Structure formats: C-alpha cells, structure tokens
Amino acid sequence: DAGVIQSPRHEVTEMGQEVTLRCKPISGHDYLFWYRQTMMRGLELLIYFNNNVPIDDSGMPEDRFSAKMPNASFSTLKIQPSEPRDSAVYFCASSGGEGAPEDQPQHFGDGTRLSIL
Amino acid sequence: AQSVTQLDSHVSVSEGTPVLLRCNYSSSYSPSLFWYVQHPNKGLQLLLKYTSAATLVKGINGFEAEFKKSETSFHLTKPSAHMSDAAEYFCVVSERNSGGYQKVTFGIGTKLQVIP
C-alpha cells in the first residue's frame, strides 16, 4: 500500500492568497483526519470525516479554513485568505479496517510544510 | 471525558541506558491506547497499540508499554536507548463516542534526547 499521500510537500505563498492542501487516504479506510502542528501549539486536530461526512470540525480555527471530502479517496483543506499565523505543518491521517473503530491506529502522511509570507 | 497527560515534555538519556516515557490517561470507557513516534521532518509512525488484550504490549524497535488500569497509565519503555531513538513520542487514547464514532486525543508529546 502506498500509505497516505499528501501534496504538496512544501508550499510558500504570500499573505492573502488561497492555499489548498490535498490528501489521498489509504484505500479502504473510512476515517480521515486533518491536523496542524506548530512549535507553539503542538499537534492540533482540525477536523475529521467518517465515510466522507464531517463529524467534528470544532478544531477548525476560523471561517478562513474549510475542508471537503468529495469521495473516499480524496480530501482537501483550504485556507482563504491565508495569514502568516497559518504557517505550520499540516498532516492528514486515515484509519479504518476490520474491527472496532476505536482500535484502529491512524496512518499519517508526511505532511505539508506551509509558509505564509 | 477523555484526556492524555504526558508527564515529561523532555527526557534525556545516555545511549545504552533504559528509556521511560510516562503517560497517564482518563477515559469514560475502556479505551484503546497507542504510542506514536515522530522523527524530525517526518509524519507520525505507530510504535505500538493496546486494545484490551495482553496488558504488556510489544512494539517496533524494541519498545514496549504496559497498560495499568489501576494507575490509568500506559508508560513506554525500552531497555537500551539507541541514537536513532531520538525523536518525539506521542501517547494517544482512543474510544468510541456516544455517536458511535472514533474519538482520539493526543498527548502533547515527549522529546527524547539520546546522548552519545
């Protein structure tokens, strides 16, 4: 299996621009998670989906952030307009398979390092 | 309510000495527990998991953890540290919420430094 695939790996853009981060989960997984990691705040859960439906978006910082999962093999996290404080590493993770959902470990992508100038 | 406390933000050990990374949890139900490792500029990788089977769980790279319900602890240990173990380690609790969905909480992480 190819694992969770995130793109781009690095993104540098100017303040005010729209940023779109992409994620392809592991085939067959029914949960998808988006996280943000910074030195100051550590790892934060932004939103997660089950069977393409958003379940909890309470971690999304503000309306500038939005996430979609149009099908089981693709998700996007969009920031519009972007601000310097959005600079962070954004991780996507997926989980699923046979057995209880709480027993399934999350599989992480390598992350997108985002820098907003 | 579900929570995870990693008692040390930084741990420093000499190469070849034992490693102990401490984790306490709080959960309303019978949780599943995980340890992940993150090397610099990498994503998180699963080290081991506990899912209500044997209380002593063995993971990759010689790590193991023991689930102690009476102490609500899930400490990570390794008999002998290697330089390649230098990384950040996350303790995670997972349970099913009232809606039937997986609910996951990560600890703040413990940075392990290994001194040659």
Side-chain angles (χ1 to χ4, degrees):
Chain A
D1 200 318
V4 175
I5 299 172
Q6 292 187 245
S7 64
R9 289 297 313 277
H10 302 273
E11 174 92 11
V12 180
T13 192
E14 291 188 349
M15 185 174 76
Q17 297 298 306
E18 178 179 288
V19 172
T20 300
L21 310 181
R22 297 173 175 80
C23 176
K24 177 178 169 55
I26 292 173
S27 178
H29 282 186
D30 55 351
Y31 280 87
L32 184 139
F33 304 80
W34 281 102
Y35 292 90
R36 178 172 70 175
Q37 187 176 41
T38 60
M39 291 289 290
M40 292 296 294
R41 301 172 70 97
L43 191 68
E44 303 173 274
L45 175 64
L46 300 177
I47 184 171
Y48 75 95
F49 296 82
N50 176 245
N51 290 323
N52 314 336
V53 176
I55 301 302
D56 184 352
D57 65 354
S58 59
M60 296 285 263
E62 47 199 278
D63 292 345
R64 298 184 296 105
F65 285 70
S66 62
K68 293 183 179 179
M69 192 164 186
N71 57 62
S73 58
F74 184 65
S75 177
T76 59
L77 178 67
K78 190 171 292 189
I79 308 172
Q80 167 62 20
S82 58
E83 297 182 3
R85 60 195 169 115
D86 301 331
S87 298
V89 182
Y90 290 81
F91 288 104
C92 176
S94 70
S95 68
E98 292 188 14
E102 62 270 23
D103 292 346
Q104 307 308 317
Q106 295 183 20
H107 298 258
F108 283 76
D110 286 335
T112 295
R113 186 172 296 274
L114 177 64
S115 296
I116 309 297
L117 306 177
Chain B
Q2 177 180 266
S3 68
V4 178
T5 302
Q6 291 187 243
L7 295 149
D8 306 293
S9 59
H10 289 83
V11 169
S12 185
V13 301
S14 296
E15 189 177 17
T17 65
V19 176
L20 170 64
L21 305 182
R22 298 182 294 166
C23 173
N24 286 97
Y25 70 92
S26 171
S27 174
S28 303
Y29 306 101
S30 296
S32 298
L33 295 157
F34 305 84
W35 276 98
Y36 288 81
V37 60
Q38 184 181 27
H39 289 95
N41 301 314
K42 296 288 187 184
L44 281 73
Q45 178 187 14
L46 179 68
L47 266 182
L48 50 80
K49 70 175 184 178
Y50 165 77
T51 58
S52 76
T55 56
L56 183 62
V57 182
K58 294 189 185 297
I60 61 172
N61 300 334
F63 284 93
E64 61 183 38
E66 186 170 9
F67 174 71
K68 292 187 177 180
K69 186 175 182 178
S70 60
E71 299 176 10
T72 60
S73 69
F74 190 57
H75 300 334
L76 182 70
T77 60
K78 182 173 180 178
S80 176
H82 192 273
M83 294 300 296
S84 60
D85 295 327
E88 189 162 18
Y89 293 79
F90 293 89
C91 181
V92 179
V93 61
S94 173
E95 62 185 21
R96 200 180 306 195
N97 66 15
S98 57
Y101 299 108
Q102 182 187 36
K103 179 176 169 58
V104 176
T105 300
F106 278 72
I108 61 169
T110 298
K111 285 190 170 68
L112 176 65
Q113 180 186 21
V114 181
I115 302 167

